[in-house]
Each structure stands twice: as C-alpha cells, then as structure tokens.
Amino acid sequence: MAGSTGWSVPFGAEHDALARQILWDIRAPRGLGAWLAGALLGLAGAVAQGLFRNPLADPYLLGSSSGAALGVAACLAALGVGPAATGWAVRLGLTGAAFAGSVLAVLLTLTLARGVQHTLRLLLAGVVVGVVLGACSALTMLLVPDIMRAMQAFMLGTTGFLGWSAVQVMAPVCALTLCVAWGGARALDALSLGDATARSLGVRMGAVRVWLVGAMALATGTAVAQAGLISFVGLVAPHLVRGRVPGTQGAVLMLSALAGGLLLLAADTVARLVIAPQELPVGVLTAVLGGIYLLWRMHRMEASA
C-alpha cells in the first residue's frame, strides 16, 4: 500500500494492467525481497552471537559487511553493471562475489584475533578488518569512477532495486542457511556452556565453526549483494527474540530470521512513507532506529543494575 501511486484494487478498473504491473512487478518482489534480506541478516546475527558467545556480536562487526561490499565493488568494476541489473545471472554473480569477500573478511578477522576465545581481541580485529576493506572499496571506486553511483546505493542500503531475480537468489540461500543453522543449533546450545563442556559432549568444534561461519558469511554476503549495507537488523533481531522468547538456540535462530524479516519489511515501508513521494534509504532508517533502541536497552540495563 506504500508507494507514490497510493493504493487501488487492481481489478475491475480501466487501469487494471498498470495496477497489476505495479503490484506484481514492483511492490510484491520488493516486499518479499525486503523480508528475505532481513531474515538473512537476522539469522546471521543470531549465529554470530551464539557462535562467539557475545550479545554484541553482529556479522558486520567481524568485517563481513566490508568484505561483501569489496566483493560487490570488484564485481561491478569487472562486469560494468549497476544495482538495477535484473538478470538472475548478474544477481548470482554479485552474490558470489559478496560471499567470497565476506568469507575472506571473517577468516582474516579470526586469524588476527587468534580464534574466538578473546572477545575484545575479536571485536578489535573485526573493526580493523572492516576499516581496511572499506578503504579498499573506496580505492576501487576511485580507480573505477563509473561504479560510484552504483556503490552509493549499496553503501546507503536500499530495497528499491529488488525484483523477482533477487528473490530467486535470496530464497534458496535463506532456506540453505536456515537448514545449516538448524543443524548446528544443538552444538550452539552446548557451546553456550563453554568450549570444554561442548567437547566433552562430543561436539566437533572445528567442523561446527566452519559450517556456521560459512552460513553466516553466505547469509550476510547475499543480503548485502542484493540490498546493500543495512545496519542493526542483524544485531537487534536476536535481542528482540531473546528478551521475549527465551529458549534453545534452535528457536532463537528461527525466530531471529522471522524477526529480522519483519523489521526490515516494516522499516522499508516506513522509509517509503516518511518523505513521500521520495524515498528515504532504508539503511539510514534502520541505523537511526537501531541506535535509539540499543541506547534505550543500555539505559534500562543500567537502571536495573
């Protein structure tokens, strides 16, 4: 119902063809794509927080978003296309490049942090990797100025270019990463008791971390490749779930994906209405609202302490 043309029932009127085109070719894939991107970010955030046993962990804090952005910039520079490209092959190529960059960033962060045992070192390493890879993305844009407009959309975060081709890429990735995360849920439950306890229960820590880091990187890279850098969704969605539905990691992972999808879909709708008929980049809106939410949570924690 949000959009520059308002809302009208797409049946029984002279403008049936135009109304159906607006509904099914623009609004439907954009809404479904926004939900899928939010679900991927929410799932990635829940995996990161469970895997690293840190409520502040977020796929972006480990440098994966900067790595994904660098992959997208390199792919745009090589292919010479923009974010409005509709072919599924182009979308798949952007997703593959973002996934490769995301995995590289996470592995580099873990290498610099010497594992996940030291939380402060891990977060600092993620900040360093994010800054360095962000500078590499900026250098790529400087060397290839033609991609600056395309990369601006990715940096701000937007769902305006989501079509059915993006949905066709994100839907199977979302299903795959949900299955991988669900398969590692019991290992995350054991890991919450500590590495030693998890090993004593028979959890193969090395294999579990590889699979879960891969799922997190794939989810983050896919969302970034299709919708750009949308912040705070991966951090806020698991917090909303844990605060209201305490349970096992399996329930937290599934509900975080659902909450992330609902958050981004709602934010996208609001972003289209705030300054209508113009649109506010949804990444800007989620950053503002997410920052306010976290400040409110910090205030409540201090008050209760």
Side-chain angles (χ1 to χ4, degrees), residues 119-200:
T119 301
L120 180 59
R121 182 186 297 169
L122 181 69
L123 296 180
L124 289 175
V127 171
V128 171
V129 170
V131 170
V132 171
L133 295 185
C136 292
S137 298
L139 180 61
T140 303
M141 289 188 286
L142 182 65
L143 295 176
V144 189
D146 292 340
I147 69 171
M148 281 190 177
R149 289 180 63 89
M151 284 302 297
Q152 183 181 22
F154 279 101
M155 296 299 183
L156 294 176
T158 180
T159 57
F161 301 115
L162 293 178
W164 287 118
S165 59
V167 172
Q168 290 171 357
V169 171
M170 287 191 288
V173 171
C174 187
L176 175 62
T177 51
L178 279 171
C179 290
V180 173
W182 179 261
R186 298 186 66 179
L188 289 177
D189 286 329
L191 187 60
S192 65
L193 303 175
D195 286 1
T197 303
R199 289 192 183 93
S200 68

Side-chain angles (χ1 to χ4, degrees), residues 41 60 153-159 220 222-231:
L41 292 174
Y60 286 7
F154 279 101
M155 296 299 183
L156 294 176
T158 180
T159 57
T220 305
T222 303
V224 169
Q226 308 304 325
L229 299 178
I230 298 175
S231 57

